[in-house]
Amino acid sequence: MSSYLFILKTELPAAINSFLSSHGTGDAWYQDGRLLLIIVTLCIVLPLSMSPKIGFLGYTSSIAFFFMLYFAIVVVVKKWSIPCPLPHNVTTLSDTFQTSNSSGSECTPKLFVVSSKSAYAIPTMAFSFLCHTAILPIYCELDRPTKKRMQNVTNVSISLSLLLYLISALFGYLTFYAHVDSELLLSYDVYLRHDIMVMTVRLAILLSVLLTVPLIQFPARKAVTLLLRGDQPFSWLTHVVVTLLILAAVLLLAIFVPDIRHVFGVVGSTTSSCLLFVFPGIFYLKISGRPLKTFDSIGALVLMIFGLIMGIISLSVIIITLVQSS
């Protein structure tokens, strides 16, 4: 939730500026990302997060998916709007492109690029597919919940997410190559300022992120409530208090964290690697009770070891990078 709120903090002022005829000095209240984040959290995120049923959030989740689909389409279309090598000193789309003297090698895609930044890649991808926390609440509210029906929901959801992520990442890289920004939309803002499609997709992404936060907040609140009250009857007081505390905590993190790359890197290398690889393997070995020599048990063990190695290596490189940069 803090990661998504961080996106709102950085992108919302830029989205507002893109609709203005000229950029201000940055002193206006609507150019303060922290203030805007507090406003949208109180006015939109908080009311949606108060819903006691996750089924209601299915409508907002569907809208968010179509916003992401539009984002992928725009990334594909704009691949041919920016020349390569990238233009320098371009302020508007109507200006004459002044290309650099770089060689054409800048426009040759590379299958693998290994550097210190690679430590952020796998954790970020792991973070992107981290939907495990919402599985049980969604299962409980399915019409005639069964393992097969839940598996179908999972297969469709992961497949659609993979397709959109793959298309967006591929064409985003093929547009900017080595100069792609960690926040893709900011790269377009440099070369296609005041472009209608870029401005609308920026708003679409912001709305998508905004509608996703309550969906992630639901299982977090559920977990905290179960820890505090166990199987006691539903209480609106506990529901409201836990919701406010969680949103306050993630809002403070989003306000004071300086770089979203660090958020995705640290969270992806720790909690995401555990939730994606380590915990499922442990749970399977615990529940199945099968000998470790069986094929499935070996697969679960390999999954655990891979998650631990990936998390430790990524977190170590990220810490080293942060220390060196400071």
Side-chain angles (χ1 to χ4, degrees), residues 139-197:
Y139 177 83
C140 293
E141 297 192 24
L142 277 180
D143 184 22
R144 303 186 308 277
T146 62
K147 180 181 176 181
K148 182 178 180 180
R149 290 172 65 86
M150 190 66 235
Q151 187 65 55
N152 291 335
V153 171
T154 304
N155 292 342
V156 173
S157 302
I158 294 296
S159 299
L160 289 176
S161 298
L162 174 62
L163 181 62
L164 291 183
Y165 287 148
L166 182 61
I167 293 175
S168 303
L170 178 62
F171 281 87
Y173 171 69
L174 293 178
T175 302
F176 301 101
Y177 295 95
H179 301 286
V180 65
D181 196 275
S182 58
E183 296 179 54
L184 184 58
L185 287 177
L186 294 182
S187 300
Y188 290 103
D189 192 46
V190 174
Y191 303 101
L192 298 176
R193 186 171 298 173
H194 302 305
D195 182 85
I196 297 299
M197 292 187 69

Side-chain angles (χ1 to χ4, degrees), residues 226-273:
L226 285 174
L227 287 174
L228 295 177
R229 296 176 52 86
D231 295 329
Q232 297 182 30
F234 175 81
S235 169
W236 271 108
L237 178 61
T238 303
H239 179 85
V240 172
V241 170
V242 172
T243 301
L244 292 176
L245 289 177
I246 292 177
L247 284 181
V250 298
L251 183 60
L252 289 175
L253 285 173
I255 288 175
F256 292 106
V257 169
D259 191 345
I260 192 173
R261 185 181 61 174
H262 304 328
V263 177
F264 282 122
V266 174
V267 173
S269 60
T270 54
T271 57
S272 295
S273 61

